[in-house]
Amino acid sequence: MTGFVTMGAVTSGFVGNSLGYQLLDVPGSTFTVGEAINNAGQVSGLYYDAAGATRGFIATPVSLPTGTTSGGAYVFSVAVIPGVPIFIDPVVAVGYDYRIGKKNPRIATVRLPIGIGDSWYKLKVGGRKFFLAGGDLFDFRTNGFPKGVEKFRVDCIEVDAMLDPANPQAFPTELSFMDAGWFTGTQKPLTRDSERGDKGKCMASDRHDDDDEDDDDRDDDKGKNGGKDDDKDDGKGKGKGK
């Protein structure tokens, strides 16, 4: 549930359940009201800015990283169930590589945030490219990957929209999964190539610049390996096919 509470001169929104609640305040505002909440836990409402104008907001609950790998990818540990989205978020980048962990359920859908630059992104998966607007739900299953995917890349975030490295909620990403289990995957920021921040070059580029994004998901769904998943971690099928 969501609503608001006034304490002295400050009105704060809140979000809670039968176990407790958390206050919700837009930074710099002394009047924040939560008006609605969806099944994913996102709260919409209104607040007064410093000039006294009434504005709207959407607050998204995110699961923050539990650490990083030696290669700089952010690591998560979140329980997941089919069809119920979670939101993950690291710190800052102009693009991201997403990958599930060992034995994790595959990713079924993704929704990217609104309001980062012009809110247009390039999504790369299994050797294919899709152009995606922030806020739109992208279903991998209906776009050539009926078994979901293990990894994908988001690219083309403008340099001049550089996300605040001090803001732990800079790029909240909604994911849903094919099966129940745990998501212990990673979200690796891409910062090494300044061209990724040039919207025109990035959106028009047909270069094979996906060093970390290969074709495993595409090959699995096309029936390579006899229609079986190429799960390198399960130890099955090694030494076969010689």
Side-chain angles (χ1 to χ4, degrees), residues 8-240:
V10 177
T11 295
S12 300
F14 70 84
V15 59
N17 56 29
S18 60
L19 299 178
Y21 70 94
Q22 181 175 350
L23 292 179
L24 183 64
D25 292 291
V26 173
S29 176
T30 59
F31 186 89
T32 303
V33 174
E35 294 189 313
I37 186 169
N38 64 19
N39 290 336
Q42 292 177 297
V43 174
S44 62
L46 58 87
Y47 70 98
Y48 294 164
D49 66 14
T54 302
R55 301 185 181 276
F57 72 87
I58 298 176
T60 298
V62 297
S63 298
L64 298 177
T66 57
T68 60
T69 67
S70 59
Y74 298 95
V75 180
F76 297 86
S77 181
V78 186
V80 300
I81 58 177
V84 177
I86 64 169
F87 298 87
I88 59 174
D89 190 26
V91 184
V92 62
V94 293
Y96 298 92
D97 280 333
Y98 298 78
R99 182 184 294 263
I100 62 174
K102 293 182 179 180
K103 306 300 182 183
N104 287 186
R106 287 190 167 202
I107 298 169
T109 68
V110 61
R111 193 191 316 264
L112 302 175
I114 299 171
I116 306 299
D118 65 0
S119 294
W120 277 97
Y121 309 98
K122 181 162 63 177
L123 187 150
K124 304 178 184 178
V125 57
R128 306 177 192 177
K129 298 178 183 179
F130 303 88
F131 297 99
L132 182 63
D136 287 350
L137 184 69
F138 184 87
D139 193 325
F140 292 102
R141 296 165 295 184
T142 58
N143 283 279
F145 303 91
K147 293 184 288 183
V149 300
E150 296 179 355
K151 58 188 177 294
F152 62 92
R153 172 173 291 182
V154 173
D155 211 342
C156 297
I157 302 173
E158 299 94 329
V159 166
D160 59 7
M162 285 299 290
L163 311 181
D164 183 359
N167 180 3
Q169 294 154 355
F171 200 80
T173 302
E174 174 189 318
L175 302 174
S176 70
F177 295 82
M178 298 292 293
D179 301 295
W182 279 87
F183 173 65
T184 60
T186 58
Q187 183 176 1
K188 182 178 180 181
L190 305 175
T191 59
R192 62 184 180 272
D193 186 350
S194 63
E195 185 196 63
R196 297 183 187 280
D198 186 319
K199 179 64 68 171
K201 290 182 179 179
C202 184
M203 298 296 272
S205 175
D206 286 324
R207 294 183 301 110
H208 293 289
D209 54 358
D210 298 350
D211 297 335
D212 300 321
E213 198 276 312
D214 55 40
D215 294 346
D216 289 352
D217 295 309
R218 179 181 61 183
D219 290 340
D220 284 347
D221 291 328
K222 282 188 174 181
K224 190 175 179 179
N225 304 318
K228 297 180 180 179
D229 290 348
D230 184 15
D231 189 342
K232 296 179 181 179
D233 300 315
D234 63 6
K236 297 178 181 179
K238 290 183 179 179
K240 293 184 179 180

